[in-house]
Amino acid sequence: MSAATITLLFLLFAVVMFVFEKIPLGVTSMIVCIGLVVTGVLDIKTAFAGFIDSNVILFVAMFIVGGALFETGMANKIGGIVTHFAKSERSLIVAIMVIVGLMSGVLSNTGTAAVLIPVVIGIAAKSGYARSKLLMPLVFAAAMGGNLSLIGAPGNLIAQSALGEIGMSFGFFEYAIVGLPILAVGILFYATLGMKLLPNHPVSDDDSFGGEQDFSNVPKWKQVLSLVILVLTLLGMIFEKQIGIKLNIIGCIGALALILTGVISEKDALKSIDLKTIFLFGGTLSLASALDKTGAGAEIANIVIGALGENPSPYILTLVVFLLCCVMTNFMSNTATTALMVPICLSIAQGMGADPRAVLMACVIGGSCAYATPIGMPANTMVVSAGGYTFKDYTKAGLPLILIATIVSMVILPIAFPFFPQ
């Protein structure tokens, strides 16, 4: 059996396992990583190169920086201040979506959702509004906010990593060219017509989210310093080129500063690192290497191009990539979707002689549209019991948002990221 065939079989295995999640995502990607070594497709060094990838180092650092904000209760405080001023259900939905969208642009969207879920449930209890109408906008905004910066979601960095291999890159806020209009239109939609689509379920208060975490024993200086270090870390990342220090090193400096100043203990810092994301990312990068090395990615690209005809319209190709990522991401992790699709999209772009940035942007934005199922992203799953949601609730409220994201993207992408720039 050829190396390309073995790689395609591992790709098929990964897709099926990611969809049905009978075993954890990280375990699936490690099976693929080890399997590619055992079958001789990759050597050990190439297979495990993903675990020392600069983006993995950045993930670890930002998990600690974000973790400090959550551990000290500062993230909780930020959420509370903003939502405090909302007087009606409509203004509450807007306030929640704005704050979550902006926070998840620079922090983990899962972490942002996790810290604000108890806050929003507390607000629902005090205001008398149904929590089911507030929690779904919260998790949707977390997903949309991930497209505001380079560090907003793991998928953004996967595309950046692939571009780096060919000497190209996205700017720190370049995803926001498409992501910000989607977030703005999404907020507008749920503040108007979409409000009617949000489920209205009575939920009992005897669930695990009933009580808010108590941060009263955390010293004020720790809360302030966690925010100051986060802001300085982000400023460092925004001005990366000017100061000449790489993103991942800036993140490490921020993480080390938090531990050395005692804002977060070493134990809590290690606890805040999401190893599932690390194993998923590192493992699936080995599959990306195999798709590239064996030519299997190019084969898939040729099949896709062949199916679209002799000279495929760049517009049609962008739409096909976007919709394919949209469908896949609702049944598997958006990180896994992007990790699987990026090398394929890169091969397609190079095969056409097109700007890879155009195809990868469509891939990443499409891969973030995990709104139509409760398994599309961790934040969706987190609120299922708290909101009393069914599978249909997500489909009913989430499908229109996918349609909105598709329309906005198809208008902006060809203008901001032309296939064949002059």
Side-chain angles (χ1 to χ4, degrees):
M1 201 184 291
S2 72
T5 307
I6 294 168
T7 302
L8 288 173
L9 287 173
F10 274 116
L11 175 66
L12 181 66
F13 166 78
V15 171
V16 172
M17 285 294 130
F18 284 150
V19 169
F20 294 105
E21 247 182 282
K22 292 293 180 191
I23 52 176
L25 297 176
V27 177
T28 296
S29 59
M30 286 312 298
I31 290 170
V32 171
C33 182
I34 301 294
L36 289 166
V37 176
V38 172
T39 53
V41 174
L42 296 176
D43 58 51
I44 294 174
K45 191 177 176 185
T46 310
F48 285 87
F51 291 96
I52 52 165
D53 185 88
S54 60
N55 292 313
V56 169
I57 297 164
L58 178 58
F59 280 166
V60 172
M62 290 314 290
F63 278 137
I64 294 170
V65 174
L69 207 69
F70 299 134
E71 287 291 330
T72 59
M74 195 63 203
N76 206 310
K77 192 173 274 187
I78 294 166
I81 289 167
V82 174
T83 48
H84 175 72
F85 295 102
K87 299 297 178 200
S88 67
E89 190 175 44
R90 192 186 308 276
S91 62
L92 203 49
I93 288 170
V94 171
I96 289 167
M97 292 188 81
V98 168
I99 188 64
V100 174
L102 295 177
M103 280 174 72
S104 63
V106 290
L107 294 169
S108 146
N109 45 20
T110 307
T112 301
V115 79
L116 289 177
I117 286 166
V119 177
V120 170
I121 288 172
I123 289 163
K126 286 172 207 155
S127 64
Y129 299 126
R131 67 169 76 158
S132 61
K133 296 196 83 168
L134 304 179
L135 290 173
M136 205 170 264
L138 183 152
V139 294
F140 289 169
M144 289 187 282
N147 290 327
L148 295 185
S149 78
L150 192 57
I151 57 167
N156 305 8
L157 287 162
I158 292 171
Q160 181 78 336
S161 196
L163 279 178
E165 296 289 317
I166 55 169
M168 300 176 82
S169 66
F170 285 123
F172 191 82
F173 286 120
E174 211 159 353
Y175 286 106
I177 295 170
V178 187
L180 192 59
I182 291 174
L183 177 64
V185 177
I187 293 170
L188 188 65
F189 175 71
Y190 289 110
T192 53
L193 298 172
M195 258 184 91
K196 295 185 178 71
L197 301 175
L198 295 170
N200 191 2
H201 300 315
V203 184
S204 63
D205 283 324
D206 59 351
D207 59 67
S208 57
F209 288 103
E212 282 188 44
Q213 213 175 330
D214 181 26
F215 295 107
S216 58
N217 60 341
V218 178
K220 187 97 190 296
W221 69 266
K222 281 191 177 186
Q223 295 187 332
V224 174
L225 199 53
S226 69
L227 184 62
V228 169
I229 291 173
L230 171 73
V231 171
L232 290 175
T233 305
L234 293 174
L235 284 172
M237 289 177 173
I238 294 163
F239 297 106
E240 175 202 12
K241 288 189 172 72
Q242 286 84 344
I243 58 177
I245 303 174
K246 295 281 181 192
L247 285 183
N248 54 332
I249 302 300
I250 294 167
C252 288
I253 293 168
L256 286 169
L258 287 161
I259 297 167
L260 291 172
T261 54
V263 171
I264 188 170
S265 66
E266 183 193 19
K267 186 183 172 186
D268 284 337
L270 292 171
K271 199 172 73 181
S272 66
I273 298 167
D274 185 358
L275 288 176
K276 285 182 291 185
T277 302
I278 304 301
F279 281 116
L280 177 64
F281 188 82
T284 43
L285 279 182
S286 66
L287 183 59
S289 297
L291 283 167
D292 181 42
K293 188 184 167 197
T294 63
E299 278 181 40
I300 295 169
N302 290 335
I303 291 166
V304 172
I305 290 173
L308 291 172
E310 278 289 307
N311 295 302
S313 152
Y315 200 77
I316 297 295
L317 181 64
T318 306
L319 182 63
V320 168
V321 165
F322 189 92
L323 292 176
L324 185 59
C325 290
C326 274
V327 172
M328 287 171 69
T329 197
N330 277 285
F331 295 97
M332 53 197 265
S333 143
N334 45 16
T335 309
T337 299
T338 317
L340 287 170
M341 287 297 292
V342 158
I344 297 166
C345 291
L346 198 58
S347 300
I348 292 171
Q350 289 175 318
M352 289 176 68
D355 181 1
R357 288 158 36 93
V359 195
L360 291 190
M361 185 61 78
C363 172
V364 170
I365 303 290
S368 70
C369 293
Y371 316 122
T373 68
I375 56 169
M377 57 180 175
N380 284 12
T381 316
M382 246 188 281
V383 295
V384 171
S385 58
Y389 298 130
T390 63
F391 195 97
K392 282 181 188 170
D393 287 335
Y394 286 91
T395 309
K396 184 182 171 187
L399 275 178
L401 187 53
I402 292 176
L403 182 65
I404 287 167
T406 307
I407 293 167
V408 172
S409 299
M410 287 306 107
V411 171
I412 296 171
L413 281 170
I415 300 165
F417 301 94
F419 249 66
F420 303 106
Q422 295 302 317

